[in-house]
Amino acid sequence: MILDQLLPLLLAAALVLVVAGVVKRVSLWRRGRPEKVRLLRGLMAMPRRYMVDLHHVVARDKYMSNTHVATAGGFVLSLVLLVAIHLLGISNWVLNVALSAALVMMFTGAVFVYRRRRNPPSRLSKGPWMRLPKSLLMFAFSFFITTLPLSAAVSSDVGRWAISILLVVGIIWGLGGLVFSMSWGGPMKHAFAGALHLAFHRRPERFGGGRSTGLKAIDLAAPKLGVEQPADFKWNQLLGFDACVQCGKCEAVCPAFAAGQPLNPKKLIQDMVVGMAGGSDAKFCGSPHPGIAVGNAVGDAHQPIVGGLIAPETLWSCTTCRACVEECPMMIEHVDAVVDMRRFQTLEKGSTPGKGTEVLENLIFTDNPNGFNPQHRTHWAADQNLPLMKQVKSADVLFWVSDGAFDMRSQRILRAFVKILNAAGVDFAVLGDEEADSGDMARRLGDEATFQRLAKRNIATLSQYQFKTLVTTDPHAFHCLKNEYLDFYPAGEKPAFEVLHHSTFINNLVKAQRLRLNASKGSNVTYHDPCYLGRYNGEYAAPRELLASLGMTLVEMERSGFRSRCCGGGGGAPITDIPGERRIADMRMDDARQTGAELIAVGCQQCTAMLEGVVEPRPVVKDIAELVAEALTMAERQQRESSRRIEIAVEMA
């Protein structure tokens, strides 16, 4: 039959096209800066990362998870068997049955892909993606028919010729559509780009249940600081951008996009792909950056990104909340890319918008973002008699006060935490005016030089004293001290202390029965997860356990835990102040109002400020430390009243 003769030729031609397309894509990735990767180890780890780590994320959507397993698994298996049977001539009934089963599985998955695409959610890209299900169906159907003994079903030679021609057309359609789509920049390119991205990921620590959220340090002696053009990214970052499947899950969770600010993380990644390959975004078939029409992004690998591929406002709209990274099924690092581009704008061009320049100058000259006198860092505690590390030299706990020391609202949180420490009999001390800003704000705004200076200064200060645990009420400082300072310790050294957020520390005190708390009666509370405590550091349980210890009824917001909506206060967003249709904090407050709770518990000074900035009527906003301190006060009062009743009873007797 004509089909028997053409099939090996078609498969061979398809493989040649795949190889040619792969070579072209690899040449595009290699335009980026060099980056060492463990080639063999990465390739060996790739199957597990693909089938376990990636599917752990994909499995959050059961429909798409099962669909992807059937479609992708069936496609890969059938392609391998087709090559073995029709190209290499390895044929037996076992392989034929296996091929038929793989094609049926693929066809079943493709049917569900087709159903999803009939009425797709707005976050999904359209255009070529709408044709993909048809190519999948045609591939599976045509090759399945070729596995059947047609000569027995059709008696005439004319009939067999007609069927063979139809099958050849179907095979060319299905095979050609998938091959070109996979290796020449179409919707299926994530099938191999995504696999290689997982193998050579710039954060291999994320796999196997690990966590890696600290920004990568840069060499301040390098000829260029940050990323100006696509070729300035590391090559495996470009590979990561090319792995984007355009599912739009990042778009659906982005607070800036929801607020109508000019940022869509999916479009941002596609802008980087356009820059890598050259050309324009005229063929982009998804949602644009709000307020910016598609067709304006033009550039190539060696032209500036800002002003060509993206508007400056797009770059500075990001709150670095990491919701996009958490949701991405291809595990792309959006936030790294944003900060890399900000570094060039800040360090090389000095073009930080809004109050960014003023804040960075304050950090340089006063070591705090608001320009307060560093000697006033302990004024909030003038009546607290706090022990200073430079006097006591050692303590069990170092309380890192952070820049809440200069804010009257945050000072109430600090006082509450001090009250808790004293009530539990904790041996603690503070650095006083030796403490400098953690550098979080500087780093997120792209001023890596100021961040590194502050980090090294703080590390030198901490190394002078002996303590077991460092505790802070500020998740941003907590993240920097725990994760991002590690790059700046002397070679071979690690911090000799544990870094904890105050919610975790207080919860440990409660579990150890070192605090007596009064249980609240019938209080409904909802909890807002700070981005830098939750998504960045995985602490979701401790605050909720504390609320349970207080006897409060927790009513979760629709977006909570790892899907919590940002308050809008991270990444320097309040400083750059890019306008949108709504304020992110207002949207988060709406989430809270829908629960019917009268109280919002938080674990971040910045979140408290952002949520309390929403006009009333609204729920009361209180930090976890304030709630525990209040319960502690009530418990102490009850204990005093009980003791007094005993004394009266003794006197009367």
Side-chain angles (χ1 to χ4, degrees):
M1 290 178 64
I2 184 174
L3 192 59
D4 296 329
Q5 298 173 352
L6 284 180
L7 201 52
L9 296 177
L10 291 174
L11 288 172
L15 290 178
V16 170
L17 288 172
V18 167
V19 172
V22 168
V23 169
K24 179 182 178 181
R25 300 311 293 184
V26 171
S27 69
L28 295 178
W29 307 333
R30 298 300 294 178
R31 292 178 176 181
R33 290 179 178 176
E35 174 80 338
K36 292 183 179 180
V37 297
R38 295 182 174 180
L39 184 64
L40 184 59
R41 179 176 294 186
L43 290 173
M44 291 178 63
M46 184 264 290
R48 187 186 186 281
R49 293 176 179 179
Y50 191 90
M51 291 185 286
V52 177
D53 296 285
L54 183 143
H55 266 282
H56 178 72
V57 179
V58 176
R60 296 169 185 170
D61 183 341
K62 295 299 182 182
Y63 182 100
M64 286 311 301
S65 174
N66 296 333
T67 298
H68 186 262
V69 168
T71 308
F75 173 67
V76 172
L77 181 57
S78 62
L79 196 58
V80 171
L81 291 172
L82 283 168
V83 171
I85 294 171
H86 295 288
L87 198 59
L88 302 180
I90 307 172
S91 181
N92 56 58
W93 71 270
V94 175
L95 292 181
N96 289 331
V97 170
L99 175 58
S100 298
L103 290 167
V104 169
M105 182 170 68
M106 178 185 173
F107 186 86
T108 303
V111 168
F112 284 95
V113 175
Y114 177 78
R115 289 182 59 189
R116 178 77 161 222
R117 283 284 166 179
R118 290 185 64 184
N119 186 25
S122 60
R123 61 178 172 81
L124 292 178
S125 291
K126 311 301 188 296
W129 297 88
M130 303 301 288
R131 298 191 295 269
L132 180 59
K134 299 174 184 178
S135 296
L136 292 168
L137 289 169
M138 187 57 68
F139 178 96
F141 177 77
S142 299
F143 276 110
F144 178 77
I145 296 300
T146 63
T147 64
L148 301 178
L150 296 179
S151 57
V154 181
S155 58
S156 68
D157 291 340
V158 175
R160 286 194 290 270
W161 270 88
I163 291 178
S164 295
I165 292 173
L166 289 175
L167 287 176
V168 168
V169 172
I171 288 171
I172 292 175
W173 177 359
L175 188 62
L178 295 184
V179 165
F180 278 100
S181 177
M182 182 169 60
S183 58
W184 290 84
M188 279 285 288
K189 68 178 165 64
H190 70 280
F192 83 94
L196 294 179
H197 165 59
L198 296 178
F200 308 129
H201 202 284
R202 74 190 312 249
R203 293 181 180 272
E205 305 86 5
R206 287 187 63 184
F207 301 101
R211 183 176 295 276
S212 176
T213 58
L215 292 170
K216 303 288 186 179
I218 62 172
D219 181 5
L220 296 176
K224 180 187 290 186
L225 301 177
V227 169
E228 177 190 16
Q229 52 198 23
D232 293 332
F233 284 111
K234 300 297 179 70
W235 72 267
N236 53 352
Q237 284 182 284
L238 296 180
L239 167 58
F241 303 151
D242 217 21
C244 177
V245 69
Q246 295 195 41
C247 64
K249 290 188 176 181
C250 58
E251 170 187 316
V253 298
C254 177
F257 179 80
Q261 294 176 266
L263 169 63
N264 178 347
K266 181 180 80 172
K267 179 64 167 60
L268 178 69
I269 295 302
Q270 292 307 307
D271 290 339
M272 298 305 103
V273 174
V274 167
M276 174 186 72
S280 77
D281 67 337
K283 295 183 179 180
F284 178 69
C285 298
S287 302
H289 299 299
I292 302 177
V294 170
N296 292 319
V298 179
D300 63 38
H302 300 286
Q303 288 186 1
I305 294 171
V306 176
L309 289 168
I310 63 173
E313 294 77 16
T314 295
L315 182 62
W316 297 103
S317 293
C318 179
T319 66
T320 68
C321 71
R322 208 172 166 80
C324 52
V325 180
E326 184 73 37
E327 286 293 335
C328 179
M330 299 309 297
M331 306 183 83
I332 298 169
E333 297 287 340
H334 309 66
V335 175
D336 285 5
V338 167
V339 175
D340 281 342
M341 290 185 282
R342 285 183 177 184
R343 285 167 171 167
F344 178 82
Q345 296 300 310
T346 295
L347 294 173
E348 297 279 11
K349 298 189 68 176
S351 58
T352 314
K355 296 182 179 179
T357 301
E358 177 185 345
V359 166
L360 294 176
E361 288 178 351
N362 288 338
L363 284 168
I364 292 171
F365 294 111
T366 67
D367 294 330
N368 66 83
N370 294 308
F372 293 110
N373 188 332
Q375 303 299 318
H376 297 171
R377 188 174 283 274
T378 56
H379 282 195
W380 66 275
D383 59 341
Q384 300 288 308
N385 296 318
L386 298 182
L388 296 176
M389 266 296 185
K390 60 185 174 185
Q391 295 174 350
V392 301
K393 303 301 181 183
S394 67
D396 289 340
V397 173
L398 171 63
F399 175 24
W400 184 275
V401 176
S402 195
D403 288 317
F406 300 110
D407 176 73
M408 293 184 65
R409 176 63 184 91
S410 297
Q411 289 170 8
R412 287 156 51 189
I413 300 173
L414 301 178
R415 286 174 173 271
F417 186 56
V418 168
K419 183 180 182 67
I420 294 168
L421 294 174
N422 287 328
V426 176
D427 174 29
F428 76 98
V430 298
L431 289 174
D433 58 14
E434 288 187 291
E435 180 184 313
D437 185 89
S438 67
D440 167 78
M441 185 70 70
R443 194 167 223 197
R444 270 69 200 169
L445 289 175
D447 190 349
E448 182 74 4
T450 297
F451 168 77
Q452 292 192 17
R453 178 183 63 81
L454 290 168
K456 292 173 182 177
R457 171 182 164 179
N458 285 325
I459 289 171
T461 300
L462 295 173
S463 66
Q464 300 176 46
Y465 305 115
Q466 298 294 321
F467 53 95
K468 299 175 183 177
T469 306
L470 185 152
V471 182
T472 180
T473 61
D474 180 1
H476 296 262
F478 164 63
H479 172 69
C480 284
L481 291 161
K482 178 181 171 68
N483 301 311
E484 299 196 342
Y485 276 24
L486 298 178
D487 291 332
F488 305 102
Y489 280 87
E493 291 187 20
K494 293 183 178 180
F497 53 87
E498 183 180 20
V499 182
L500 293 178
H501 183 253
H502 74 303
S503 63
T504 308
F505 186 78
I506 297 172
N507 195 43
N508 291 342
L509 293 176
V510 172
K511 288 181 176 180
Q513 298 184 346
R514 294 178 64 178
L515 290 173
R516 176 189 172 99
L517 301 178
N518 182 74
S520 174
K521 295 181 180 180
S523 297
N524 286 342
V525 61
T526 189
Y527 175 67
H528 166 74
D529 290 276
C531 302
Y532 277 74
L533 181 61
R535 276 187 291 271
Y536 273 80
N537 287 283
E539 182 57 277
Y540 303 106
R544 289 171 169 80
E545 291 176 2
L546 273 176
L547 293 174
S549 299
L550 294 171
M552 294 181 169
T553 301
L554 178 63
V555 185
E556 294 282 11
M557 287 181 257
E558 182 178 356
R559 288 185 55 172
S560 61
F562 70 88
R563 283 190 169 137
S564 176
R565 193 197 301 271
C566 177
C567 72
I575 294 169
T576 57
D577 197 23
I578 304 300
E581 296 174 359
R582 299 186 64 192
R583 293 177 67 248
I584 296 173
D586 291 338
M587 294 191 298
R588 188 53 173 165
M589 186 58 72
D590 286 344
D591 295 340
R593 289 190 181 107
Q594 290 173 10
T595 67
E598 299 176 353
L599 174 66
I600 304 175
V602 297
C604 172
Q605 296 155 194
Q606 187 68 35
C607 293
T608 301
M610 295 299 295
L611 294 176
E612 285 191 337
V614 177
V615 297
E616 296 181 331
R618 56 167 172 73
V620 176
V621 181
K622 289 189 178 181
D623 188 87
I624 288 285
E626 294 177 294
L627 295 175
V628 173
E630 289 173 2
L632 185 67
T633 302
M634 296 172 67
E636 290 175 342
R637 185 184 304 135
Q638 287 184 343
Q639 187 174 19
R640 287 195 300 269
E641 291 175 353
S642 177
S643 299
R644 179 57 180 161
R645 284 194 296 269
I646 294 174
E647 291 174 0
I648 293 173
V650 171
E651 291 175 358
M652 292 179 65

